[in-house]
Amino acid sequence: MNRSKIVAIITGAISVLLAIAYLIVVQILDYRDMQPAPISEFQQLSTVMALVITSVF
C-alpha cells in the first residue's frame, strides 16, 4: 500500500469513531429528563438585569 491509502484509511477510521462517539453523547443527553427552570428564577434574573442596565446608564 502506498502512503496516501494508509492516510485515507486512518482518517476514515478516525471519522467513523468520532461519529459514533457523537451519536453516543447525543443519545445520553437526549435520554436525560429535562425539567424547565422555575419561573421564579426567571423573574429574579430579569430583576437583576434591570438593575444592572439602569445602573450602567
Side-chain angles (χ1 to χ4, degrees):
M1 287 184 134
N2 56 8
R3 183 180 170 140
S4 62
K5 284 187 180 182
I6 293 172
V7 171
I9 290 172
I10 292 172
T11 305
I14 292 172
S15 174
V16 169
L17 289 175
L18 286 174
I20 291 171
Y22 173 77
L23 289 175
I24 290 171
V25 168
V26 167
Q27 289 298 318
I28 290 171
L29 292 176
D30 192 39
Y31 181 73
R32 297 184 307 168
D33 187 27
M34 301 293 286
Q35 298 291 330
I39 298 298
S40 62
E41 291 185 21
F42 286 123
Q43 291 172 345
Q44 290 174 357
L45 179 62
S46 63
T47 303
V48 170
M49 291 301 292
L51 290 174
V52 169
I53 290 172
T54 55
S55 66
V56 170
F57 297 111

